Amino acid sequence: MATQSGVSLKALPEEFSYPFCTAHRYEMPRRQHEGNEYGILVSNGFLKLFTLKGRIYWVAQTEQTHTTPDWKLHFSVAFKDIPRAWDLLAWHFIQQKIPVSAMKSIVFLEQKPAEERWPKEMRGRELTVYIYKYHPSYKGGIPSVDESGAPAVIALSPTDEREPQSWLRFVADVETLLAANHIESNGCADGDLPLGRYASLRNEAYVLWPPVSVLALAFGHKHSSTPTSELCYPPNAAGWNAAYHEVPFSLPTVRASAAWACARQRNIARTAVASHGRTILLATVFVAVVAVLAAVMWRC
């Protein structure tokens, strides 16, 4: 079997392939591979492949209103190459036997151009692999069903986390695999931290957005024309770690990858902040004027 840099290019079992999964999308099947069980689901415009604990991880994050760490590896793939890229990534994913993880890909089932079904702001996130990070709120487990279908409480623990640097090896192998098979990149996603030609990193834990203006802080939202901040999916302008959670890789590695991305990210942030900049400036001036007038009146 041909290899590229130690990455085997053998075929994915048919039942995990993109054409097979999308054709059997109403079955919600469970698949076995080398003693491990995986679920497959097509929903909300995505084809998803996950372990039992990977699904429990999604439930745990939802119970915490998506505010716990939500680290993801995104792989940028041109629309025409998504089916082949899925097969390559899915093969490598099941070979890794990661106990708590999941992956997904956008799937186009409607008869419309792909560009009309995938938002421009999500470009570069065509395929995703979830990086499990434990959080104390998961203690006690999540009520669910076990692999036999019987009711059970599924526990998530710190020991379920993968060795951090193994994720970097995962990225390197997938980068090699995609390039060796001539997969075209769709460009790094805005707001992500680039890790290679295809891969990028992002923490998509929910954050308060938009930022609160000076006027809102001084007088409260009801006296401000600035929109009230809401807990939401972090917009691209919020950057690759808007929630400031612990990074899953060693910091020197992340810094090396981030060095050339800083200027680009500042430009993205600058674009978003521009819409709030004038309001904040006027609010600051207003507060200063009020303070001066109050001081003058007090002296009088």
Side-chain angles (χ1 to χ4, degrees), residues 218-297:
F219 297 102
H221 293 299
K222 65 180 181 179
H223 298 295
S224 172
S225 59
T226 305
T228 302
S229 293
E230 296 181 353
L231 195 64
C232 66
Y233 173 89
N236 291 344
W240 60 275
N241 187 12
Y244 296 100
H245 289 146
E246 181 183 0
V247 180
F249 309 143
S250 67
L251 288 176
T253 304
V254 170
R255 288 197 189 102
S257 300
W260 66 273
C262 288
R264 176 172 172 270
Q265 186 57 50
R266 281 196 296 269
N267 287 336
I268 295 170
R270 215 175 275 134
T271 300
V273 170
S275 62
H276 300 291
R278 290 178 181 173
T279 301
I280 293 173
L281 177 60
L282 290 173
T284 304
V285 171
F286 178 79
V287 171
V289 169
V290 169
V292 170
L293 289 175
V296 171
M297 292 177 65

Side-chain angles (χ1 to χ4, degrees), residues 40-286:
I40 297 175
L41 178 66
V42 177
S43 67
N44 299 323
F46 290 99
L47 168 58
K48 303 173 183 179
L49 173 63
F50 50 90
T51 63
L52 171 62
K53 283 195 171 183
R55 181 175 62 81
I56 295 300
Y57 185 38
W58 285 338
V59 174
Q61 289 178 312
T62 301
E63 287 188 349
Q64 301 303 318
T65 61
H66 301 285
T67 56
T68 54
D70 189 16
W71 289 101
K72 296 172 183 173
L73 291 171
H74 291 134
F75 293 92
S76 175
V77 173
F79 296 138
K80 64 182 177 61
D81 288 338
I82 286 175
R84 288 197 303 127
W86 166 273
D87 288 358
L88 294 164
L89 181 57
W91 174 81
H92 192 62
F93 179 84
I94 62 177
Q95 291 297 111
Q96 295 296 300
K97 300 180 179 179
I98 306 169
V100 185
S101 192
M103 60 169 282
K104 67 180 181 182
S105 166
I106 55 174
V107 59
F108 300 132
L109 301 175
E110 301 174 14
Q111 298 303 313
K112 293 196 306 187
E115 292 78 3
E116 295 181 14
R117 289 170 284 164
W118 187 233
K120 290 189 297 182
E121 61 270 19
M122 296 300 288
R123 177 197 54 80
R125 300 175 184 139
E126 288 73 32
L127 283 85
T128 298
V129 173
Y130 290 75
I131 299 176
Y132 167 70
K133 292 294 290 181
Y134 177 75
H135 189 270
S137 64
Y138 304 156
K139 186 177 181 180
I142 305 296
S144 184
V145 294
D146 60 22
E147 294 182 354
S148 69
V153 175
I154 310 299
L156 296 174
S157 73
T159 59
D160 288 322
E161 290 186 6
R162 204 164 186 243
E163 191 271 317
Q165 299 312 101
S166 68
W167 283 113
L168 293 173
R169 292 192 293 272
F170 182 94
V171 168
D173 286 347
V174 174
E175 286 273 332
T176 300
L177 195 57
L178 297 178
N181 285 271
H182 310 291
I183 300 298
E184 182 181 340
S185 170
N186 204 20
C188 183
D190 291 336
D192 281 28
L193 174 68
L195 296 177
R197 177 181 174 186
Y198 306 96
S200 60
L201 177 70
R202 195 167 199 243
N203 177 17
E204 296 187 339
Y206 281 22
V207 294
L208 287 173
W209 195 265
V212 180
S213 71
V214 174
L215 188 61
L217 288 174
F219 297 102
H221 293 299
K222 65 180 181 179
H223 298 295
S224 172
S225 59
T226 305
T228 302
S229 293
E230 296 181 353
L231 195 64
C232 66
Y233 173 89
N236 291 344
W240 60 275
N241 187 12
Y244 296 100
H245 289 146
E246 181 183 0
V247 180
F249 309 143
S250 67
L251 288 176
T253 304
V254 170
R255 288 197 189 102
S257 300
W260 66 273
C262 288
R264 176 172 172 270
Q265 186 57 50
R266 281 196 296 269
N267 287 336
I268 295 170
R270 215 175 275 134
T271 300
V273 170
S275 62
H276 300 291
R278 290 178 181 173
T279 301
I280 293 173
L281 177 60
L282 290 173
T284 304
V285 171
F286 178 79

